[in-house]
Amino acid sequence: GAVVSQHPSWVICKSGTSVKIECRSLDFQATTMFWYRQFPKQSLMLMATSNEGSKATYEQGVEKDKFLINHASLTLSTLTVTSAHPEDSSFYICSAKTGVNEKLFFGSGTQLSVL
Amino acid sequence: SQQGEEDPQALSIQEGENATMNCSYKTSINNLQWYRQNSGRGLVHLILIRSNEREKHSGRLRVTLDTSKKSSSLLITASRAADTASYFCATDLTGANSKLTFGKGITLSVRP
């Protein structure tokens, strides 16, 4: 099956620093990638949808200047949490889909802890 | 509120028993999908059922869809301890290239 690699698996950073999370589709071309945030024992909250070569579409309430998304190629999307604060601590997950396949392929997630 | 809402929120069963999880949604859908998540990991796609289908099987999984009631159920037969995970239903409103809306999830614990 299709594989999505997400790095890093976990990151601890100081408040005010920026953190970049990478999401790569290893064996397929991802026309669309999604970024989610998940709190403990909660559902996935969609943050944004990114299509290769175009600007990401952010969900209501998600600050686009704080959560920068770049989808520069059909196999790579990045999420940068800028000037991170403790309230940004969460589990971030990416997913990818091809043009005609309706199911999503998920990365393994990144646990971000901001001190 | 969520498009998809599962119940129960938590389920604990003995190994070998069947586990039934339900999902209700509010608007018309193109398809409904079930995913599994192990603690601290990403989600894994289990099964997809389209709006014109009523039942699908995949191994020990059986999913049903009742569009008149806007509900779906996931049945795991002969459960195993390894089935312990969170299970999410997700609704797809328009099909390819659209986003999925996830429910809150059901925590399944299978006791050995």
Side-chain angles (χ1 to χ4, degrees):
Chain A
V3 177
V4 174
S5 175
Q6 184 174 343
H7 291 282
S9 298
W10 57 269
V11 58
I12 302 172
C13 69
K14 292 183 179 179
S15 186
T17 60
S18 294
V19 174
K20 180 184 282 189
I21 303 170
E22 288 191 353
C23 182
R24 292 180 185 273
S25 57
L26 298 186
D27 52 0
F28 68 100
Q29 293 187 328
T31 51
T32 307
M33 286 188 171
F34 303 90
W35 287 95
Y36 303 84
R37 184 172 180 176
Q38 186 181 31
F39 293 101
K41 300 189 185 301
Q42 296 292 314
S43 184
L44 281 72
M45 184 189 80
L46 180 64
M47 298 174 66
T49 302
S50 75
N51 294 294
E52 184 264 339
S54 62
K55 290 185 179 180
T57 302
Y58 289 81
E59 294 298 304
Q60 192 173 9
V62 178
E63 299 176 60
K64 58 183 66 176
D65 293 332
K66 179 157 188 69
F67 298 100
L68 299 179
I69 292 172
N70 184 285
H71 193 162
S73 76
L74 283 171
T75 59
L76 175 64
S77 176
T78 61
L79 167 67
T80 301
V81 183
T82 62
S83 187
H85 288 96
E87 57 265 30
D88 299 323
S89 298
S90 188
F91 191 61
Y92 293 87
I93 313 175
C94 70
S95 69
K97 68 191 300 185
T98 63
V100 297
N101 194 333
E102 295 129 315
K103 67 182 183 182
L104 296 179
F105 303 97
F106 281 82
S108 55
T110 298
Q111 181 64 52
L112 171 64
S113 297
V114 185
L115 304 179
Chain B
S1 59
Q2 299 281 124
Q3 159 72 335
E5 295 198 9
E6 299 94 339
D7 81 88
Q9 290 187 326
L11 182 61
S12 181
I13 59 174
Q14 197 72 36
E15 200 166 31
E17 294 180 340
N18 296 340
T20 300
M21 293 168 270
N22 302 300
C23 170
S24 60
Y25 57 93
K26 298 183 186 302
T27 63
S28 296
I29 60 172
N30 176 282
N31 65 76
L32 185 145
Q33 304 177 34
W34 284 90
Y35 287 81
R36 167 198 167 121
Q37 182 182 34
N38 284 64
S39 181
R41 305 291 293 175
L43 279 70
V44 175
H45 177 90
L46 294 177
I47 197 165
L48 179 154
I49 187 165
R50 302 187 190 286
S51 60
N52 62 351
E53 297 175 313
R54 291 297 166 258
E55 186 173 314
K56 281 189 83 169
H57 296 256
S58 176
R60 291 185 297 115
L61 305 180
R62 171 178 170 259
V63 66
T64 63
L65 179 66
D66 187 334
T67 53
S68 66
K69 295 181 179 178
K70 292 187 169 56
S71 68
S72 174
S73 68
L74 173 67
L75 169 68
I76 303 176
T77 60
S79 64
R80 304 167 182 168
D83 294 328
T84 295
S86 292
Y87 292 82
F88 294 87
C89 70
T91 51
D92 188 342
L93 302 186
T94 63
N97 289 325
S98 72
K99 60 186 182 184
L100 294 182
T101 303
F102 287 83
K104 294 182 179 179
I106 298 170
T107 301
L108 173 65
S109 298
V110 182
R111 304 185 300 274

